[in-house]
Amino acid sequence: MRNTKGAHAATVAAAGRTAPSAQVHGAQAGTENGRPAMAPAGEAHGGSGAAQNGQAEPRRRRATAESMAASQRDISVSEFFAKNRHLLGFDNPRKALLTTVKEAVDNSLDACEEAGILPEIWVHIEQTGPQRYKVGVQDNGPGILKTQIPNIFGKLLYGSKFHRLRMSRGQQGIGISAAGMYGLLTTGKPVKIISKVSPRKPAHYYEIQIDTKKNRPEILNGNGDGVDIPPGEAGRKVIEKHGIEWIELDHGTRVTIELEARYQRGRASVDDYLEQTAIANPHVTLHYIDPEGNEQHYPRSTERLPAEPKEIKPHPYGVELGMLLTMLKDSRAPTLMQFLTQSFSRVSPAVARKLCDTAGLSARAHPHKIGRHEADKLYHAIQQTRISAPATDCISPIGEELLLAGLHQVVPGDFYAAVTRPPAVYRGNPFVIEAALAYGGTANVHKVTMEQLAEMLAESDARTMRKFLMHTFTGVNSDAAERILERAQLGVRAMPARLNADEVARLHAALQNVNLDEGQTMTVLRYANRVPLLFQPGACAITQTVASMNWRAYGLSQSRGSLPTGPVTVLVHMASVWVPYTSESKEAVAAYPEIQRELRLALQAVGRKLALYLGRRLRVKQEGERRGKFLRYLGEVATAVSSINQVDRDELYQRLVEVAKRKTADADVRLDERGNRVEAPAEFGEHVLIVRQQEPNTPDG
Amino acid sequence: MAKKKKRPADAPARSTAKPQLSQRDRKTLQDLRQLADSVVQAAERRRDPHIDVPARSLSNVRYNKVRRYIEMGSAKNRRQLFNLSQARVYMQTMLVASGCKQLIDQGKTNSIRGLFYQLKHTIEGTQEETFDTQEECDPVIEDLEVTLNALREELHVFATNRGNLVGELVLVDSGDEIDCSRMGSAGYSIPSIVEPEVIQFRKCDAKFILHVEKDTVWRRFNEDKFWRKHHCLVTHGGGQPPRGCRRLLYRLHHELGLPVYCLLDNDPWGYYIYSVIKQGSINLAFESTRMAIPDAKYLGLRSIDFERCGLSNSVKIALNENDIKRARQIAQYPWFAHKKEWQKEIEQLLKNRFKMEVESLISKEISYVTEEYVPARLREKDWLD
C-alpha cells in the first residue's frame, strides 16, 4: 500500500507542474511541501482512500446485482454432496468401498430388524477393472415396494428414519443414495436393485441413477418403470445379462453398485468392518466373498432378535428454539396446552400448565399465534422447569450376554467382561452405553498366514515397513513394530512391496514369535447403534474417554493421556435414538458430558473386573515364580550339603522340594489373609467369561 | 552329582593327596559337617533350613572399655532358604562351606578370588550364575567365618597379599629365613596368613613399629633407611590394612613388645584406619581379640600440621560432604567420644575444611617427613592416643 501510494504521488506531482487541477491538490499537499495546507490530515494519510478519490477514472464494476442474480439458484443437496463427497465418507477410493458396503449393510439390517426378520446378509465384492469394483449386498429383508425403490436409492435425504426418534443404524437417509451417486460419478454405471416383496410376486429389477441437479431419481430401464424378473430359467438369464446376482429368497433386496475403489486388507478395511459388525450383531448371519474369491462366513450366535425399539416423541430438553418454532407452526393442536402434551414426551397436563405459567403464556393460546418472542419465553421456561427424563424403553442395547458371546467369537482372549449401563439422557435423547472387554489371547498378528502376509505386503501403499506394520495390524505400535523388524532382521525403512520370499518368511516368523503383550496398545472397538465406527478414533468421545481414564488402577500400563498398553480389546457401544455424530459420515461420537460420564462408568465397571482377574493372575504367577526360585536353588544346596556330610543328594533334594511346595502354599494363604478377604470363586460378579485359568509355570521340579 | 559325593570315599582320589589333617582342620570339618547336618535335619522335619549368622554391623558391636577394643554382640541374622530375598545368599553360603570342605580335604589353600572361581558355575537348568562377581562372594566367606567361629586360614582361604614390612627383624616364613633388613627396595611382602605355623620370629633389634598408610610414604622411609637410624620396623597396609598386616602388627606388638605408631592421612579415612588398628573393625569385630592393638598411637598427620609445618596451600584438599559426614560419625564412635584430644583434632579438621595426605609433607622437602617430622613427634612424645 505504501508503495502504490508513493508511485501514485510521484506521477501526480509530475503532472501537477504542467496541468494543475483541483483533484491533484490533495496529493500535492500531502507530498510536496509536507504541510497539509488544504487536505485534512486524515485524508492525506488515508492511503488508498485518498488515492482512489484522486483517480480520475472510475473502476469498471465486475458484476451488477442483476447479473449476479441471474446466476444465483438453488443448490441441490445432491450437488452439494457430489462436490463434498468427503463429508459422506468418500474421501478416497479405499474408504469409498468401505462406506458403500457399510451403508448397504446398515440399511439391510435396519430393514430386517424393523420387519422382525432374523437378518442374513450376503456381501460380494468383485474387481471389474483396475481401481474398479462391483459391490453387491443382499438381505432377506421384507423387500421394498416398487414405488418406493427409486426414492430410497436415488434421492438424497429421503427415508423413514430422519423424522422419528427411534433407535436405528441409519439416521439421515443419505448413505446408500450417496454411494449410488458416487458410483455413478466415478464409473457412469447406475445402481442396480432387485427387490422381492413376497413369494407370490416376481422380483422387480431397477437401474437407477440420481439426477444430481434435481436430486431426483431417474429410472433407466423399462421406460422408467423397471422390469419384473420372470421366475425360473428366464429370470436367471436376465440377471446374468445385467451382470448382477440374486440368491433365491422369498423376500429380500439386493443392491449392486459399481464404483471406483481400492480393496485393501488391514485396519479399517471391509473385512474389519464386517468382523466388527458380527461382534455387535450376534443375531446376524454374514456371508462375505472378497475380491480374491475368499469366502468368509459369520454364523449367528443367537436366534433372538433384539427387542424392537419403540419410537418416542421428542423430549422438551432436546428441542432447540428454531425447532420449537417449526413445531408450533406445524402443530394442529388447538391450544398451546394440547400442543405441549401431544408433541412431547414426559409433558403431562400439569407440567404443560407449569410451563405456560413460567413463560407467562396462556394455556389456551393457539400454537400458530405464538410469536418468536413468546416462543423464546417458552423455550426458557422449558429449561427452567423440571421435567422427568424420557422413557428409555425405546432403546434396545445388545445386552451383556450377547456382547460376551460376540466378543468371544471374534476376539481371542482369556478373560471377558461386559456391562450394560442403565439408560441415561443427553439433551433429551435417551441413550445406553455398553462396554465389554477382552484380555489376553493372541493378537491378530499371530493369526496371519504366510500367503495373507505376502498379499498384504504387495497391496500396501505404506512407504516403510514400520508404517506397514502399524497400519495393517491392530495393536501394533511403533515400538512393537521395531521389535518385530529387529527380530526379522529387516530395516525399519525397507519398502514393504520389495521384500523377497526369504524376507517375508523371516517377517512371518517374527510376527509369530515376538511377544507383543508389552508394546501392544489397547484396541478400542467403537459402535453406535450396532454400527462399527472405523475412522477418526481421535475425534471420538469414546476413544477420548478410554484414553482419559486411569487404567493403571486396573492393572494395565498406560502413559498419561494415551491408550493403555497390553493385550486388551475394549468394545464400547452407544445405543440411542439419536447418536450425536461429529459429521455426516458417522465416524465419531460427539463428546457430550452426559455421554462421557456414562462411558466412564461403563469402562470403570469392566475395568474393575479386569483388575480382579489380573490381580489373581499376578498372584498365581508370583507364587509360581517364588516356587521356581526356590526350586532353582534347592539343587545347589542339596549338592553342597551332600558334599560336606555325604547324605544322599537326591533324597535330600526331594525332601527340600516338598518343604518348598508346602512353604509356597503357606504363602498363598498368608497373602489372602493380609488382603483381609478370603475370596470365594464367584468374586467377579455377573457377565464374566474366563477361558482358561493360567496355571503357574514352574520350571522343572 | 553322585560323583562329588563319592569323591572322599574314592580310593584313587585319596591315594594321590590325602594329607594329614591337623587338629584345627579336624575341628573345622566338624563344624562344617554340623552346618550340613542342620539342613538335613530341617528337611526331615519338614522345616525350612536356616543359618544364624552373627550380625556384622555397627548395631551389633560393643566397645569394651576394659579391654579397649570392639567386641561383637550376640545379635544374629537368620538366613533362611525359603525366603525370597535370602534364598540365593543361603545357597551361596552352603556353596562356600562345601568349597572350604574340599580345600581342607585336599590340604590346599585358595585365595578368596580363587574360591570364587572354584564355586562359580551356572545353576542347572537356568541362566543364573552361582556368583556373579567376587564382591558377591567375599562377604559370604566372612559370614561363614563368623558363623563357624573359624578363622579364614582355618577354612584354608586367604586374601591377596597387601602391605610391606622393612626393618631390623629376622623371621621364618614357611620355613624360609628372611632378614627384613635385607629386602632391597620393595621390602618383605606381608602374607595374608601370618599365624605362628607360618611365621616365626627369629631375631628382632627393632624398638618400635612405624605404620604408614601407603606405599609412597613407606618407600620414602625405606629409601632414607629410617628404620636403620631409629631401630624400628616400617610397615604399610596399602590403605585400610588387610587382616594379614593387622595380625602381624598384633603379633609383633604382643609377642615382641614393640609399640606401634601410625602415620596416616589427615582425613576421616586416616582416622578410621587408626581406629581399626587400635580397636578392631566393625565389620570383623569377631577378630578384634587377635588383631586389635589398643596401645597404638597416632603420630599424624594432625589437623594442626598445616600451620605447624608451614605447608603450602597447594596441599589442601577440600572436604566434601561425604568427608564431613564421616568425620562427624567417627567423632560419635564410643571409643573416640570421650577423648578430648581426638574431639579437638576432628573439630579442627572440620574447621580447616580441608584434608591432607601424608605425601603433602614431601612437598615441603623430600625427606622432611623422615628426617624432621617423625623424629620430632617421637622425641616430643607428641601423639594422639
Side-chain angles (χ1 to χ4, degrees):
Chain A
M1 175 155 129
R2 178 165 298 191
N3 274 346
T4 51
K5 183 188 165 192
H8 173 67
T11 52
V12 168
R17 260 172 233 134
T18 49
S21 73
Q23 279 173 333
V24 180
H25 267 296
Q28 258 184 330
T31 53
E32 266 193 344
N33 45 27
R35 264 190 300 127
M38 293 174 73
E43 205 182 318
H45 292 282
S48 59
Q52 250 167 30
N53 283 347
Q55 199 85 342
E57 267 180 276
R59 216 173 262 159
R60 207 171 64 81
R61 285 186 70 162
R62 287 183 187 159
T64 61
E66 288 76 17
S67 70
M68 281 164 82
S71 59
Q72 283 165 345
R73 62 187 175 88
D74 267 346
I75 303 163
S76 104
V77 200
S78 352
E79 269 184 312
F80 175 76
F81 282 121
K83 279 193 174 169
N84 294 294
R85 43 171 88 154
H86 57 275
L87 291 180
L88 298 177
F90 294 93
D91 352 10
N92 59 56
R94 183 169 178 230
K95 208 165 153 191
L97 184 68
L98 172 64
T99 308
T100 304
V101 174
K102 177 170 163 327
E103 294 296 347
V105 171
D106 288 355
N107 278 2
S108 293
L109 291 174
D110 270 349
C112 292
E113 281 167 22
E114 203 169 337
I117 300 165
L118 272 174
E120 186 161 4
I121 311 260
W122 291 263
V123 178
H124 187 184
I125 303 176
E126 280 174 284
Q127 185 155 18
T128 53
Q131 294 270 319
R132 214 178 245 213
Y133 289 85
K134 191 159 75 181
V135 175
V137 177
Q138 182 171 347
D139 61 52
N140 61 344
I144 308 169
L145 281 183
K146 230 186 204 173
T147 48
Q148 286 300 319
I149 289 181
N151 278 337
I152 288 173
F153 292 99
K155 193 170 180 161
L156 288 183
L157 294 176
Y158 185 93
S160 56
K161 300 163 193 169
F162 188 77
H163 294 282
R164 63 179 184 193
L165 280 176
R166 180 170 187 256
M167 181 185 155
S168 62
R169 292 177 177 79
Q171 284 184 345
Q172 287 111 329
I174 296 179
I176 191 64
S177 17
M181 193 170 74
Y182 176 81
L184 183 69
L185 283 171
T186 52
T187 66
K189 295 278 174 74
V191 184
K192 297 171 181 176
I193 294 139
I194 302 175
S195 186
K196 194 173 160 79
V197 189
S198 100
R200 288 183 304 278
K201 286 185 184 162
H204 203 78
Y205 173 62
Y206 276 109
E207 290 184 358
I208 294 170
Q209 70 178 37
I210 190 166
D211 181 339
T212 47
K213 288 218 176 78
K214 294 176 185 147
N215 185 21
R216 234 175 33 196
E218 272 178 58
I219 297 149
L220 301 177
N221 61 345
N223 292 325
D225 242 352
V227 292
D228 278 343
I229 294 176
E233 196 55 39
R236 250 194 294 287
K237 272 191 185 143
V238 173
I239 288 166
E240 211 169 290
K241 204 183 94 194
H242 289 95
I244 46 174
E245 290 168 85
W246 173 250
I247 291 152
E248 271 314 320
L249 294 169
D250 283 353
H251 47 79
T253 308
R254 185 180 191 101
V255 54
T256 309
I257 296 172
E258 198 167 340
L259 70 157
E260 193 183 293
R262 218 158 63 75
Y263 174 77
Q264 198 180 343
R265 281 179 223 271
R267 199 182 281 185
S269 62
V270 175
D271 309 43
D272 211 11
Y273 161 76
L274 291 174
E275 185 180 290
Q276 290 192 26
T277 303
I279 297 175
N281 298 277
H283 61 290
V284 175
T285 297
L286 265 173
H287 308 277
Y288 168 50
I289 306 175
D290 72 15
E292 277 119 38
N294 304 318
E295 288 191 33
Q296 182 91 41
H297 299 280
Y298 298 98
R300 62 174 62 94
S301 50
T302 174
E303 295 289 321
R304 213 171 58 217
L305 261 179
E308 192 188 353
K310 284 189 198 133
E311 190 176 335
I312 58 159
K313 283 181 255 175
H315 190 271
Y317 284 167
V319 175
E320 276 158 4
L321 183 55
M323 178 84 167
L324 185 64
L325 278 166
T326 324
M327 287 171 78
L328 282 166
K329 205 174 272 176
D330 293 347
S331 172
R332 284 204 209 113
T335 64
L336 186 57
M337 177 86 174
Q338 277 180 24
F339 162 76
L340 289 169
T341 50
Q342 283 166 15
S343 322
F344 294 105
S345 63
R346 295 300 195 215
V347 179
S348 62
V351 172
R353 196 164 298 121
K354 195 166 177 213
L355 285 176
C356 293
D357 288 350
T358 318
L361 298 173
S362 160
R364 269 179 291 173
H366 194 279
H368 292 195
K369 296 268 169 63
I370 303 289
R372 177 169 290 274
H373 184 65
E374 285 96 337
D376 197 29
K377 281 204 244 167
L378 182 61
Y379 177 75
H380 285 291
I382 290 173
Q383 309 308 319
Q384 287 162 22
T385 311
R386 220 182 135 73
I387 306 169
S388 55
T392 47
D393 53 358
C394 51
I395 299 167
S396 88
I398 301 170
E400 284 147 342
E401 240 166 86
L402 290 181
L403 271 176
L404 281 183
L407 201 58
H408 180 212
Q409 199 158 42
V410 186
V411 180
D414 305 329
F415 172 81
Y416 299 85
V419 72
T420 300
R421 293 281 310 155
V425 178
Y426 82 93
R427 279 194 50 213
N429 296 314
F431 70 97
V432 168
I433 297 291
E434 296 178 279
L437 178 146
Y439 180 88
T442 48
N444 53 1
V445 279
H446 296 276
K447 288 191 295 188
V448 71
T449 65
M450 187 88 136
E451 291 72 37
Q452 281 172 329
L453 181 66
E455 248 168 60
M456 286 172 169
L457 284 165
E459 282 164 6
S460 172
D461 55 0
R463 292 246 183 101
T464 65
M465 278 310 296
R466 184 168 61 180
K467 275 250 163 64
F468 165 76
L469 290 171
M470 286 164 65
H471 291 306
T472 313
F473 300 106
T474 46
V476 175
N477 59 15
S478 67
D479 183 45
E482 268 163 32
R483 273 189 293 144
I484 293 171
L485 291 174
E486 196 183 333
R487 175 68 79 89
Q489 298 169 356
L490 289 171
V492 172
R493 302 196 169 276
M495 282 274 287
R498 292 210 189 134
L499 296 191
N500 60 30
D502 187 38
E503 286 168 327
V504 173
R506 274 199 318 235
L507 181 64
H508 185 247
L511 285 178
Q512 308 290 315
N513 294 330
V514 169
N515 174 18
L516 292 173
D517 284 11
E518 285 306 309
Q520 198 178 337
T521 4
M522 174 191 270
T523 310
V524 180
L525 304 177
R526 299 173 290 136
Y527 292 90
N529 284 355
R530 295 171 186 251
V531 180
L533 307 177
L534 299 176
F535 297 99
Q536 295 196 10
C540 185
I542 295 175
T543 326
Q544 287 164 0
T545 310
V546 172
S548 72
M549 276 178 47
N550 177 15
W551 287 92
R552 275 164 299 212
Y554 305 121
L556 297 176
S557 51
Q558 176 190 30
S559 42
R560 187 166 280 280
S562 60
L563 290 174
T565 56
V568 206
T569 301
V570 159
L571 180 159
V572 181
H573 177 219
M574 171 170 182
S576 176
V577 292
W578 190 262
V579 177
Y581 292 110
T582 55
S583 80
E584 291 80 356
S585 53
K586 303 202 271 191
E587 289 166 344
V589 174
Y592 283 95
E594 297 90 342
I595 298 177
Q596 283 181 314
R597 184 185 128 83
E598 282 298 313
L599 284 170
R600 200 167 302 121
L601 289 173
L603 289 167
Q604 282 168 350
V606 286
R608 278 192 296 273
K609 292 179 179 184
L610 175 68
L612 274 176
Y613 173 72
L614 288 181
R616 173 186 281 185
R617 217 173 77 151
L618 183 70
R619 224 159 45 221
V620 171
K621 196 172 146 221
Q622 278 175 345
E623 218 33 58
E625 275 171 9
R626 260 167 70 90
R627 196 164 288 176
K629 196 162 185 182
F630 291 147
L631 292 178
R632 212 180 319 157
Y633 297 138
L634 290 188
E636 291 293 331
V637 170
T639 308
V641 168
S642 79
S643 84
I644 296 172
N645 64 359
Q646 284 86 48
V647 296
D648 185 90
R649 188 254 174 202
D650 295 328
E651 199 188 316
L652 176 62
Y653 177 72
Q654 283 313 324
R655 284 232 165 91
L656 287 173
V657 168
E658 276 168 45
V659 182
K661 285 192 175 150
R662 209 172 54 88
K663 273 282 154 189
T664 41
D666 267 7
D668 254 349
V669 173
R670 232 192 330 228
L671 230 127
D672 279 6
E673 278 166 2
R674 200 184 301 156
N676 243 347
R677 71 195 129 108
V678 180
E679 287 145 353
E683 60 187 293
F684 291 110
E686 278 180 303
H687 304 300
V688 165
L689 187 67
I690 297 170
V691 176
R692 59 188 152 86
Q693 191 74 43
Q694 194 97 357
E695 272 299 310
N697 288 328
T698 47
D700 68 281
Chain B
M1 286 307 61
K3 215 196 292 170
K4 225 178 209 174
K5 189 185 71 190
K6 277 180 204 152
R7 190 180 290 151
D10 247 0
R14 189 163 43 173
S15 69
T16 49
K18 184 73 191 175
Q20 202 63 38
L21 290 179
S22 71
Q23 183 109 31
R24 277 173 80 175
D25 285 344
R26 251 177 261 132
K27 185 199 169 281
T28 314
L29 279 181
Q30 181 78 27
D31 291 344
L32 283 169
R33 180 180 285 271
Q34 250 172 33
L35 183 72
D37 287 346
S38 76
V39 179
V40 180
Q41 281 160 16
E44 272 167 3
R45 279 185 289 152
R46 303 282 169 92
R47 291 279 164 78
D48 52 337
H50 60 83
I51 314 168
D52 288 325
V53 182
R56 296 189 289 118
S57 62
L58 181 61
S59 61
N60 192 36
V61 297
R62 206 168 53 84
Y63 178 61
N64 188 323
K65 277 186 185 154
V66 180
R67 294 192 179 135
R68 292 185 297 152
Y69 56 68
I70 298 171
E71 284 177 331
M72 188 148 68
S74 55
K76 291 186 175 186
N77 290 334
R78 179 156 288 196
R79 185 166 292 175
Q80 290 169 305
L81 173 54
F82 293 108
N83 177 322
L84 266 196
S85 56
Q86 295 171 0
R88 182 172 159 88
V89 67
Y90 182 95
M91 175 272 293
Q92 290 170 337
T93 315
M94 296 316 289
L95 270 183
V96 169
S98 78
C100 293
K101 144 95 173 157
Q102 265 181 50
L103 287 173
I104 298 169
D105 276 347
Q106 295 171 10
K108 303 208 167 153
T109 57
N110 205 345
S111 69
I112 49 176
R113 183 157 186 78
L115 188 68
F116 160 63
Y117 274 109
Q118 183 189 335
L119 300 174
K120 180 175 157 67
H121 60 259
T122 310
I123 298 169
E124 206 182 314
T126 68
Q127 309 254 307
E128 195 178 324
E129 289 290 308
T130 48
F131 293 96
D132 287 329
T133 59
Q134 196 191 334
E135 283 70 48
E136 204 177 3
C137 184
D138 291 355
V140 176
I141 299 173
E142 286 172 1
D143 286 340
L144 194 68
E145 287 175 47
V146 284
T147 308
L148 300 181
N149 197 16
L151 300 172
R152 202 150 49 170
E153 43 272 28
E154 289 169 347
L155 294 172
H156 285 221
V157 180
F158 59 87
T160 44
N161 289 358
R162 205 170 68 209
N164 295 73
L165 178 147
V166 69
E168 298 182 324
L169 171 74
V170 179
L171 53 77
V172 177
D173 180 350
S174 311
D176 299 333
E177 193 173 279
I178 291 165
D179 185 347
C180 295
S181 60
R182 306 166 66 90
M183 293 302 292
S185 57
Y188 170 65
S189 172
I190 303 171
S192 172
I193 294 174
V194 295
E195 293 313 299
E197 302 93 272
V198 183
I199 291 179
Q200 300 93 35
F201 304 126
R202 193 54 55 84
K203 181 167 175 272
C204 180
D205 293 331
K207 303 280 180 287
F208 65 94
I209 304 166
L210 179 69
H211 180 81
V212 302
E213 184 160 338
K214 278 193 227 89
D215 185 59
T216 323
V217 180
W218 181 85
R219 273 168 189 272
R220 182 83 261 121
F221 279 93
N222 189 19
E223 201 178 282
D224 291 350
K225 297 288 176 255
F226 178 88
W227 48 271
R228 183 160 288 157
K229 200 164 154 193
H230 294 271
H231 302 289
C232 70
L233 303 175
V234 183
T235 57
H236 81 90
Q240 184 64 256
R243 280 191 264 173
C245 180
R246 284 171 55 201
R247 176 69 175 152
L248 188 67
L249 287 178
Y250 175 93
R251 284 191 61 205
L252 289 168
H253 176 76
H254 283 90
E255 291 173 27
L256 304 178
L258 303 178
V260 176
Y261 302 99
C262 301
L263 182 61
L264 305 162
D265 289 348
N266 182 241
D267 61 20
W269 320 105
Y271 296 159
Y272 190 64
I273 290 173
Y274 169 68
S275 164
V276 166
I277 292 172
K278 191 177 169 79
Q279 279 97 208
S281 81
I282 294 167
N283 200 18
L284 298 168
F286 61 98
E287 298 251 61
S288 295
T289 18
R290 47 195 294 275
M291 292 201 180
I293 308 166
D295 287 325
K297 310 281 189 244
Y298 184 83
L299 271 192
L301 285 182
R302 303 274 301 275
S303 308
I304 48 170
D305 282 344
F306 179 75
E307 288 190 358
R308 183 162 66 173
C309 307
L311 299 176
S312 76
N313 272 330
S314 56
V315 303
K316 291 179 178 174
I317 304 169
L319 288 178
N320 60 30
E321 268 178 46
N322 218 350
D323 293 330
I324 295 168
K325 224 173 86 188
R326 186 83 182 110
R328 297 220 165 101
Q329 212 174 10
I330 288 172
Q332 297 295 314
Y333 283 157
W335 47 96
F336 281 125
H338 301 296
K339 291 186 176 161
K340 276 193 190 136
E341 291 292 306
W342 268 106
Q343 293 298 328
K344 240 159 89 183
E345 165 69 26
I346 295 172
E347 216 169 276
Q348 181 66 39
L349 174 84
L350 291 170
K351 222 158 93 189
N352 283 352
R353 297 165 80 177
F354 62 81
K355 52 187 180 183
M356 290 178 294
E357 294 187 279
V358 182
E359 286 85 337
S360 59
L361 295 177
I362 294 172
S363 80
K364 186 177 166 77
E365 213 244 301
I366 184 97
S367 288
Y368 176 75
V369 63
T370 57
E371 283 164 14
E372 288 183 39
Y373 185 85
V374 173
R377 296 291 90 76
L378 290 172
R379 202 168 48 241
E380 293 158 19
K381 295 192 194 308
D382 176 18
W383 53 62
L384 289 177
D385 185 27

